[in-house]
Amino acid sequence: MAPHPPSGTPSPRSHHDHPGELAAGDPIRLLAIRDTPLSVDEVFAAVGDGAAGGTALFVGTVRDHDGGADVTGLGYSAHPTAEAELRRVAEKVSADFPVRALAAVHRVGELVVGDLAVVVAVSCPHRAEAFEACRRLIDDLKREVPIWKHQTFADGTQEWVGA
């Protein structure tokens, strides 16, 4: 066991006493809902920050099945308030975690298997915070932002998800 420093001696640095450990002034660097292909590189670059020791990135892609059925077509549509709701979600995540930088983009329109549907990233001083903040960002985005998925299956049936 290490001895305590003598009285009057500064204590060892806490991992939260450097300005880089605190949340950034306005960490929201990129938010968008687009009808054009998404870029992982663009989102990753947007969250670069010298005070961040951890960056977590999530990429959601269109898969070829859902619920045991083969998917042959997929489209996303968004309510006109979707970007404002995305900002509200991002601001909440930034307030709840020491976020240095945050980015989130979601695709709308017709997509094919393998296309990127959503890319989110968060950088924080430490990896655990980055993982937690990124998970909250994607979970809240999927739950609260009015974006709906319309799937067509190989048997000709269709389904709206999130509507």
Coordinates of all heavy atoms in Angstrom, one line a residue, residues 20-97:
G20 N -9.4 19.2 -20.3 CA -9.8 18.2 -21.3 C -10.8 17.1 -20.8 O -11.4 16.4 -21.6
E21 N -10.8 17.0 -19.5 CA -11.7 16.0 -18.9 C -13.2 16.5 -18.8 O -14.1 15.7 -18.5 CB -11.3 15.7 -17.4 CG -9.8 15.2 -17.4 CD -9.7 13.9 -18.1 OE1 -10.4 12.9 -17.8 OE2 -8.8 13.8 -19.0
L22 N -13.4 17.8 -18.9 CA -14.7 18.4 -18.9 C -15.4 18.3 -20.2 O -14.7 18.3 -21.3 CB -14.6 19.8 -18.3 CG -13.9 19.9 -17.0 CD1 -13.7 21.4 -16.7 CD2 -14.6 19.2 -15.9
A23 N -16.7 18.4 -20.2 CA -17.4 18.5 -21.5 C -17.0 19.7 -22.3 O -16.7 20.7 -21.8 CB -18.9 18.5 -21.2
A24 N -17.0 19.6 -23.6 CA -16.6 20.7 -24.5 C -17.7 21.7 -24.5 O -18.9 21.3 -24.3 CB -16.3 20.1 -25.9
G25 N -17.4 22.9 -24.9 CA -18.4 24.0 -25.0 C -19.6 23.6 -25.9 O -20.7 23.6 -25.4
D26 N -19.4 23.3 -27.1 CA -20.4 22.9 -28.0 C -19.9 21.7 -28.8 O -19.3 21.8 -29.9 CB -20.9 24.0 -29.0 CG -22.0 23.5 -29.9 OD1 -22.6 22.4 -29.6 OD2 -22.4 24.2 -30.8
P27 N -20.1 20.5 -28.3 CA -19.4 19.3 -28.9 C -20.2 18.8 -30.1 O -19.6 17.9 -30.7 CB -19.5 18.3 -27.7 CG -20.7 18.7 -26.9 CD -20.7 20.2 -27.0
I28 N -21.3 19.3 -30.4 CA -22.1 18.8 -31.6 C -21.4 19.3 -32.8 O -21.5 20.5 -33.2 CB -23.6 19.1 -31.5 CG1 -24.1 18.5 -30.2 CG2 -24.3 18.6 -32.7 CD1 -25.5 18.9 -29.9
R29 N -20.8 18.4 -33.6 CA -20.0 18.8 -34.7 C -20.7 18.5 -36.1 O -20.4 19.2 -37.0 CB -18.6 18.1 -34.7 CG -17.8 18.2 -33.5 CD -17.1 19.5 -33.5 NE -16.4 19.7 -32.2 CZ -15.2 19.2 -31.9 NH1 -14.6 18.4 -32.7 NH2 -14.7 19.5 -30.7
L30 N -21.5 17.5 -36.1 CA -22.2 17.1 -37.3 C -23.5 16.4 -37.0 O -23.5 15.4 -36.3 CB -21.3 16.2 -38.1 CG -21.9 15.5 -39.4 CD1 -22.3 16.5 -40.4 CD2 -20.9 14.5 -40.0
L31 N -24.6 16.9 -37.5 CA -25.9 16.2 -37.4 C -26.6 16.4 -38.8 O -26.6 17.5 -39.3 CB -26.8 16.9 -36.4 CG -26.4 16.8 -34.9 CD1 -27.4 17.6 -34.0 CD2 -26.3 15.4 -34.5
A32 N -27.1 15.3 -39.3 CA -27.7 15.4 -40.6 C -28.6 14.2 -40.9 O -28.4 13.1 -40.4 CB -26.7 15.5 -41.7
I33 N -29.7 14.5 -41.7 CA -30.5 13.4 -42.3 C -30.4 13.7 -43.8 O -30.7 14.8 -44.3 CB -31.9 13.5 -41.8 CG1 -31.9 13.3 -40.3 CG2 -32.8 12.5 -42.5 CD1 -33.3 13.5 -39.6
R34 N -29.9 12.7 -44.5 CA -29.5 12.8 -45.9 C -30.1 11.8 -46.8 O -30.3 10.6 -46.4 CB -28.0 12.7 -46.0 CG -27.2 13.8 -45.3 CD -25.7 13.6 -45.5 NE -25.0 14.6 -44.9 CZ -23.7 14.5 -44.5 NH1 -23.1 13.4 -44.7 NH2 -23.1 15.5 -43.9
D35 N -30.3 12.2 -48.0 CA -30.7 11.2 -49.0 C -29.6 10.8 -50.0 O -29.8 10.2 -51.0 CB -31.9 11.8 -49.9 CG -31.5 13.0 -50.6 OD1 -30.3 13.5 -50.5 OD2 -32.4 13.6 -51.3
T36 N -28.4 11.0 -49.5 CA -27.2 10.6 -50.2 C -26.4 9.6 -49.4 O -26.5 9.6 -48.1 CB -26.3 11.8 -50.6 OG1 -26.0 12.5 -49.4 CG2 -27.0 12.7 -51.5
P37 N -25.5 8.8 -50.0 CA -24.7 7.9 -49.2 C -23.9 8.5 -48.0 O -23.5 9.6 -48.2 CB -23.7 7.2 -50.2 CG -24.5 7.4 -51.5 CD -25.2 8.7 -51.4
L38 N -23.8 7.7 -46.9 CA -23.1 8.2 -45.7 C -21.7 7.8 -45.8 O -21.3 6.8 -46.4 CB -23.8 7.6 -44.5 CG -25.3 7.9 -44.4 CD1 -25.8 7.3 -43.1 CD2 -25.7 9.3 -44.5
S39 N -20.9 8.5 -45.0 CA -19.4 8.3 -45.0 C -19.0 8.1 -43.5 O -19.1 9.0 -42.7 CB -18.7 9.5 -45.6 OG -17.3 9.4 -45.2
V40 N -18.4 6.9 -43.2 CA -17.8 6.6 -41.9 C -16.7 7.6 -41.7 O -16.5 8.1 -40.6 CB -17.4 5.2 -41.8 CG1 -16.6 4.9 -40.5 CG2 -18.6 4.2 -41.9
D41 N -15.8 7.8 -42.7 CA -14.7 8.7 -42.6 C -15.1 10.1 -42.2 O -14.5 10.8 -41.4 CB -13.9 8.8 -43.9 CG -13.2 7.4 -44.2 OD1 -12.9 6.7 -43.2 OD2 -12.8 7.2 -45.4
E42 N -16.2 10.6 -42.8 CA -16.7 12.0 -42.5 C -17.1 12.1 -41.0 O -16.7 13.0 -40.3 CB -17.8 12.4 -43.4 CG -18.4 13.7 -43.0 CD -19.8 14.0 -43.7 OE1 -20.5 13.1 -44.0 OE2 -20.1 15.2 -43.8
V43 N -17.8 11.1 -40.5 CA -18.3 11.1 -39.2 C -17.1 11.0 -38.2 O -17.0 11.7 -37.2 CB -19.4 10.0 -38.9 CG1 -19.7 9.9 -37.5 CG2 -20.6 10.3 -39.8
F44 N -16.2 10.1 -38.5 CA -15.0 9.9 -37.6 C -14.2 11.1 -37.6 O -13.8 11.6 -36.5 CB -14.2 8.7 -38.1 CG -13.0 8.4 -37.3 CD1 -13.2 7.9 -36.0 CD2 -11.7 8.6 -37.7 CE1 -12.1 7.6 -35.2 CE2 -10.6 8.4 -36.9 CZ -10.8 7.9 -35.6
A45 N -14.0 11.8 -38.7 CA -13.2 13.0 -38.7 C -13.9 14.1 -37.9 O -13.2 14.9 -37.3 CB -13.0 13.5 -40.2
A46 N -15.2 14.2 -38.0 CA -15.9 15.2 -37.3 C -15.8 15.2 -35.7 O -15.9 16.2 -35.1 CB -17.4 15.1 -37.6
V47 N -15.5 14.0 -35.2 CA -15.4 13.8 -33.7 C -13.9 13.8 -33.3 O -13.7 13.6 -32.1 CB -16.1 12.6 -33.2 CG1 -17.6 12.7 -33.5 CG2 -15.6 11.3 -33.8
G48 N -13.0 14.1 -34.1 CA -11.6 14.2 -33.7 C -11.4 15.3 -32.7 O -11.9 16.4 -32.9
D49 N -10.7 15.0 -31.6 CA -10.5 16.1 -30.6 C -9.2 15.7 -29.8 O -9.2 14.5 -29.3 CB -11.7 16.1 -29.7 CG -11.6 17.3 -28.7 OD1 -10.8 17.3 -27.8 OD2 -12.4 18.3 -28.9
G50 N -8.3 16.6 -29.7 CA -7.0 16.3 -29.0 C -7.2 15.9 -27.5 O -6.3 15.3 -26.9
A51 N -8.3 16.3 -26.9 CA -8.5 16.0 -25.5 C -9.3 14.7 -25.3 O -9.6 14.3 -24.2 CB -9.3 17.1 -24.8
A52 N -9.6 14.0 -26.4 CA -10.4 12.8 -26.3 C -9.4 11.6 -26.3 O -8.6 11.4 -27.2 CB -11.3 12.6 -27.5
G53 N -9.6 10.7 -25.3 CA -8.8 9.5 -25.2 C -9.6 8.3 -25.8 O -9.0 7.3 -25.9
G54 N -10.9 8.5 -26.0 CA -11.7 7.4 -26.6 C -12.7 7.9 -27.6 O -13.3 9.0 -27.3
T55 N -12.8 7.2 -28.6 CA -13.8 7.5 -29.6 C -14.6 6.2 -29.9 O -14.0 5.2 -30.2 CB -13.2 8.0 -30.9 OG1 -12.5 9.3 -30.6 CG2 -14.3 8.3 -32.0
A56 N -15.9 6.3 -29.8 CA -16.8 5.1 -30.1 C -17.6 5.5 -31.4 O -18.1 6.6 -31.5 CB -17.7 4.8 -29.0
L57 N -17.7 4.5 -32.3 CA -18.4 4.8 -33.5 C -19.3 3.6 -33.8 O -18.9 2.4 -33.5 CB -17.4 4.8 -34.7 CG -17.9 5.0 -36.1 CD1 -17.7 6.5 -36.5 CD2 -17.2 4.1 -37.0
F58 N -20.6 3.9 -34.2 CA -21.5 2.8 -34.5 C -22.0 3.0 -35.9 O -22.3 4.2 -36.3 CB -22.7 2.8 -33.6 CG -23.8 1.9 -34.0 CD1 -23.7 0.5 -33.7 CD2 -24.9 2.3 -34.8 CE1 -24.6 -0.4 -34.2 CE2 -25.8 1.4 -35.3 CZ -25.7 0.1 -35.0
V59 N -22.0 2.0 -36.7 CA -22.5 2.0 -38.1 C -23.6 1.0 -38.2 O -23.4 -0.2 -38.0 CB -21.3 1.6 -39.1 CG1 -21.8 1.6 -40.5 CG2 -20.1 2.5 -38.9
G60 N -24.8 1.5 -38.6 CA -25.9 0.6 -38.9 C -26.0 0.4 -40.4 O -26.1 1.4 -41.2
T61 N -26.1 -0.9 -40.8 CA -26.2 -1.2 -42.2 C -27.5 -1.9 -42.5 O -28.1 -2.5 -41.7 CB -25.0 -2.1 -42.7 OG1 -25.0 -3.2 -41.9 CG2 -23.7 -1.3 -42.5
V62 N -27.9 -1.9 -43.8 CA -29.1 -2.6 -44.3 C -28.7 -4.1 -44.4 O -27.7 -4.4 -45.1 CB -29.6 -2.1 -45.6 CG1 -30.7 -2.9 -46.1 CG2 -29.9 -0.6 -45.5
R63 N -29.5 -4.9 -43.7 CA -29.2 -6.4 -43.8 C -30.2 -7.0 -44.7 O -31.2 -6.5 -45.1 CB -29.2 -7.0 -42.4 CG -30.5 -6.9 -41.7 CD -30.5 -7.6 -40.3 NE -31.7 -7.4 -39.7 CZ -32.0 -6.6 -38.7 NH1 -31.0 -5.8 -38.2 NH2 -33.2 -6.5 -38.2
D64 N -29.9 -8.3 -45.1 CA -30.7 -9.0 -46.1 C -31.9 -9.8 -45.5 O -32.6 -10.5 -46.2 CB -29.9 -9.9 -46.9 CG -29.2 -11.0 -46.1 OD1 -29.4 -11.1 -44.9 OD2 -28.5 -11.8 -46.7
H65 N -32.1 -9.6 -44.2 CA -33.2 -10.3 -43.5 C -33.7 -9.6 -42.3 O -33.0 -8.7 -41.8 CB -32.7 -11.7 -43.1 CG -31.7 -11.7 -42.0 ND1 -30.4 -11.4 -42.2 CD2 -31.9 -11.8 -40.7 CE1 -29.7 -11.4 -41.1 NE2 -30.6 -11.6 -40.1
D66 N -34.9 -9.9 -41.9 CA -35.4 -9.3 -40.6 C -36.5 -10.2 -40.1 O -37.4 -10.6 -40.9 CB -35.9 -7.9 -40.8 CG -36.3 -7.2 -39.5 OD1 -35.6 -7.5 -38.5 OD2 -37.2 -6.3 -39.5
G67 N -36.4 -10.6 -38.9 CA -37.5 -11.5 -38.3 C -37.6 -12.8 -39.0 O -38.7 -13.3 -39.1
G68 N -36.5 -13.3 -39.6 CA -36.6 -14.6 -40.3 C -37.1 -14.5 -41.7 O -37.2 -15.5 -42.4
A69 N -37.3 -13.3 -42.2 CA -37.8 -13.2 -43.6 C -36.7 -12.5 -44.4 O -36.0 -11.6 -43.9 CB -39.1 -12.4 -43.7
D70 N -36.6 -12.8 -45.7 CA -35.6 -12.2 -46.6 C -36.1 -10.8 -47.0 O -37.3 -10.7 -47.5 CB -35.4 -13.0 -47.9 CG -34.7 -14.3 -47.6 OD1 -34.0 -14.4 -46.6 OD2 -34.9 -15.3 -48.4
V71 N -35.3 -9.8 -46.9 CA -35.6 -8.4 -47.2 C -35.1 -8.2 -48.7 O -34.0 -8.5 -49.0 CB -34.9 -7.4 -46.3 CG1 -35.1 -6.0 -46.7 CG2 -35.5 -7.6 -44.9
T72 N -36.0 -7.7 -49.5 CA -35.7 -7.4 -50.9 C -35.6 -5.9 -51.2 O -35.1 -5.4 -52.2 CB -36.7 -8.0 -51.9 OG1 -38.0 -7.5 -51.6 CG2 -36.6 -9.5 -51.7
G73 N -36.2 -5.1 -50.3 CA -36.2 -3.6 -50.5 C -36.4 -2.9 -49.2 O -37.0 -3.4 -48.2
L74 N -35.8 -1.7 -49.1 CA -35.9 -1.0 -47.8 C -35.8 0.5 -48.1 O -35.0 0.9 -48.9 CB -34.8 -1.4 -46.9 CG -34.8 -0.9 -45.5 CD1 -34.3 -1.9 -44.5 CD2 -34.0 0.4 -45.4
G75 N -36.7 1.3 -47.4 CA -36.6 2.7 -47.6 C -36.8 3.4 -46.2 O -37.5 2.8 -45.4
Y76 N -36.2 4.5 -46.0 CA -36.4 5.3 -44.8 C -37.0 6.6 -45.2 O -36.7 7.2 -46.2 CB -35.0 5.6 -44.1 CG -34.4 4.4 -43.4 CD1 -33.5 3.6 -44.0 CD2 -34.8 4.2 -42.1 CE1 -32.9 2.6 -43.3 CE2 -34.2 3.1 -41.4 CZ -33.3 2.3 -42.0 OH -32.7 1.3 -41.3
S77 N -38.0 7.0 -44.3 CA -38.5 8.4 -44.5 C -38.5 9.0 -43.1 O -38.5 8.4 -42.1 CB -40.0 8.3 -45.0 OG -40.8 7.5 -44.2
A78 N -38.5 10.4 -43.2 CA -38.3 11.2 -41.9 C -39.4 12.2 -41.9 O -39.7 12.8 -42.9 CB -36.9 11.8 -41.9
H79 N -39.9 12.5 -40.7 CA -40.8 13.6 -40.4 C -40.0 14.9 -40.6 O -38.8 14.9 -40.3 CB -41.4 13.5 -39.0 CG -42.5 14.4 -38.7 ND1 -42.2 15.7 -38.2 CD2 -43.8 14.3 -38.8 CE1 -43.4 16.3 -38.1 NE2 -44.4 15.4 -38.4
P80 N -40.7 16.0 -41.0 CA -40.0 17.3 -41.1 C -39.3 17.7 -39.8 O -38.3 18.5 -39.9 CB -41.1 18.3 -41.5 CG -42.1 17.4 -42.2 CD -42.1 16.1 -41.4
T81 N -39.7 17.3 -38.6 CA -39.0 17.6 -37.4 C -37.9 16.7 -37.0 O -37.3 16.9 -35.9 CB -40.1 17.6 -36.2 OG1 -40.5 16.3 -36.1 CG2 -41.2 18.5 -36.5
A82 N -37.5 15.8 -37.8 CA -36.5 14.8 -37.5 C -35.2 15.4 -37.1 O -34.5 15.0 -36.1 CB -36.4 13.7 -38.6
E83 N -34.7 16.4 -37.9 CA -33.4 17.0 -37.6 C -33.4 17.7 -36.2 O -32.5 17.7 -35.5 CB -32.9 17.9 -38.7 CG -32.2 17.1 -39.8 CD -31.3 17.9 -40.7 OE1 -30.9 19.0 -40.3 OE2 -31.1 17.4 -41.8
A84 N -34.5 18.4 -35.9 CA -34.7 19.1 -34.7 C -34.7 18.1 -33.5 O -34.1 18.3 -32.5 CB -35.9 19.9 -34.6
E85 N -35.3 16.9 -33.7 CA -35.4 15.9 -32.7 C -34.0 15.3 -32.5 O -33.6 14.9 -31.4 CB -36.4 14.8 -33.0 CG -37.8 15.3 -32.8 CD -38.1 15.8 -31.3 OE1 -37.8 15.0 -30.4 OE2 -38.5 16.9 -31.1
L86 N -33.3 15.1 -33.6 CA -31.9 14.6 -33.6 C -31.0 15.5 -32.8 O -30.2 15.1 -31.9 CB -31.4 14.4 -35.0 CG -29.9 13.8 -35.1 CD1 -29.8 12.5 -34.4 CD2 -29.6 13.7 -36.6
R87 N -31.2 16.8 -33.0 CA -30.4 17.8 -32.2 C -30.7 17.7 -30.7 O -29.8 17.7 -29.9 CB -30.6 19.2 -32.7 CG -29.9 20.2 -31.8 CD -29.7 21.5 -32.5 NE -28.7 21.4 -33.6 CZ -27.4 21.4 -33.4 NH1 -26.9 21.5 -32.3 NH2 -26.6 21.4 -34.5
R88 N -32.0 17.5 -30.4 CA -32.4 17.4 -29.0 C -31.8 16.2 -28.3 O -31.2 16.3 -27.2 CB -33.9 17.3 -28.9 CG -34.5 17.3 -27.5 CD -36.0 17.1 -27.4 NE -36.4 15.8 -28.0 CZ -36.1 14.6 -27.5 NH1 -35.5 14.5 -26.3 NH2 -36.5 13.5 -28.1
V89 N -31.8 15.1 -29.0 CA -31.2 13.8 -28.5 C -29.7 14.1 -28.3 O -29.1 13.7 -27.3 CB -31.4 12.7 -29.5 CG1 -30.5 11.5 -29.2 CG2 -32.9 12.2 -29.4
A90 N -29.0 14.7 -29.3 CA -27.6 14.9 -29.2 C -27.2 15.9 -28.1 O -26.2 15.6 -27.3 CB -27.1 15.5 -30.5
E91 N -28.0 16.9 -27.9 CA -27.8 17.8 -26.8 C -27.9 17.1 -25.4 O -27.2 17.4 -24.5 CB -28.8 19.0 -26.8 CG -28.4 19.9 -28.0 CD -29.4 21.0 -28.2 OE1 -30.6 20.9 -27.7 OE2 -29.1 22.0 -29.0
K92 N -28.9 16.2 -25.3 CA -29.1 15.5 -24.0 C -27.9 14.6 -23.8 O -27.4 14.5 -22.6 CB -30.4 14.7 -24.1 CG -30.7 13.8 -22.9 CD -31.2 14.6 -21.8 CE -31.8 13.8 -20.7 NZ -31.0 13.7 -19.5
V93 N -27.4 13.8 -24.8 CA -26.3 13.0 -24.6 C -25.1 13.8 -24.2 O -24.3 13.5 -23.3 CB -26.0 12.2 -25.9 CG1 -24.6 11.4 -25.8 CG2 -27.1 11.1 -26.1
S94 N -24.9 15.0 -24.9 CA -23.8 15.8 -24.5 C -23.8 16.4 -23.1 O -22.8 16.7 -22.5 CB -23.7 17.0 -25.5 OG -23.5 16.5 -26.8
A95 N -25.0 16.6 -22.6 CA -25.2 17.1 -21.3 C -25.0 16.0 -20.2 O -24.5 16.3 -19.1 CB -26.6 17.7 -21.1
D96 N -25.2 14.8 -20.6 CA -25.1 13.7 -19.6 C -23.8 13.0 -19.5 O -23.5 12.2 -18.6 CB -26.2 12.6 -19.9 CG -27.6 13.0 -19.7 OD1 -27.8 14.1 -19.0 OD2 -28.5 12.3 -20.1
F97 N -22.9 13.3 -20.5 CA -21.6 12.7 -20.6 C -20.5 13.8 -20.9 O -20.9 14.8 -21.4 CB -21.5 11.6 -21.7 CG -22.4 10.4 -21.4 CD1 -23.7 10.4 -21.9 CD2 -21.9 9.3 -20.7 CE1 -24.5 9.3 -21.7 CE2 -22.8 8.3 -20.5 CZ -24.1 8.2 -20.9

